[in-house]
Amino acid sequence: MIIILAGIYTLRAGRAEMQAAWGSHPHRQRLLLVGIGAVAGFGSGLTGVGGPVLSVPLMVLSGFSPLTAIGVSQVIQIVGAASGTLGNLRYGSIDFGAAGLIIVFEIGGVFLGAHIAHIVDTHILKKFVGILCIIVGAVFLFRTIA
């Protein structure tokens, strides 16, 4: 539900510039980011969805720009993937063939997506993130209910 709300909030904000929460209070903003990280990490571990699925909407709801939230989520994804891989190596198994194939295309997709995100107008990117959050949130909600 938080993902849907983040999408609606992003679309309703329109063309107005969003201010990150507590931007003038760096200590409070760091605490907010620690909280977002904790919630995203816990939610990711509990549900299996990637940390960025939760951290991007939470950061957008907190007033960070979509481009900042997306950039931060890429770093979060690296750390989450590494810890998840170590956990699966210890307690489970990994299909390295499938992982290798996906990695090749994911890296290409990340480079292409980052390039597009930096050349597209910020307002269009904000709308895209808002719509994507609503769609992803609706799919998660539907899967949970059905």
Side-chain angles (χ1 to χ4, degrees):
M1 194 63 165
I2 189 85
I3 300 171
I4 295 171
L5 292 174
I8 292 168
Y9 174 79
T10 302
L11 292 175
R12 287 186 47 101
R15 299 186 74 82
E17 291 299 318
M18 297 189 309
Q19 295 292 326
W22 293 312
S24 59
H25 296 70
H27 180 68
R28 288 183 181 173
Q29 193 173 61
R30 279 192 293 274
L31 288 175
L32 171 66
L33 291 170
V34 166
I36 289 172
V39 169
F42 179 76
S44 176
L46 188 64
T47 64
V49 301
V53 170
L54 300 170
S55 65
V56 170
L58 290 171
M59 287 184 70
V60 169
L61 279 173
S62 298
F64 292 92
S65 75
L67 196 54
T68 298
I70 291 166
V72 168
S73 76
Q74 293 299 310
V75 176
I76 292 169
Q77 194 166 355
I78 292 168
V79 175
S83 66
T85 300
L86 291 174
N88 279 310
L89 281 172
R90 182 171 180 175
Y91 299 111
S93 63
I94 297 173
D95 182 342
F96 286 101
L101 185 62
I102 291 170
I103 286 170
V104 168
F105 288 98
E106 186 170 343
I107 289 172
V110 166
F111 279 114
L112 180 63
H115 176 70
I116 291 171
H118 284 85
I119 62 172
V120 170
D121 180 74
T122 305
H123 297 71
I124 293 171
L125 182 62
K126 189 191 299 186
K127 284 183 182 178
F128 176 76
V129 169
I131 291 168
L132 187 61
C133 283
I134 291 170
I135 292 170
V136 169
V139 168
F140 286 151
L141 187 62
F142 178 75
R143 285 184 177 174
T144 302
I145 293 171

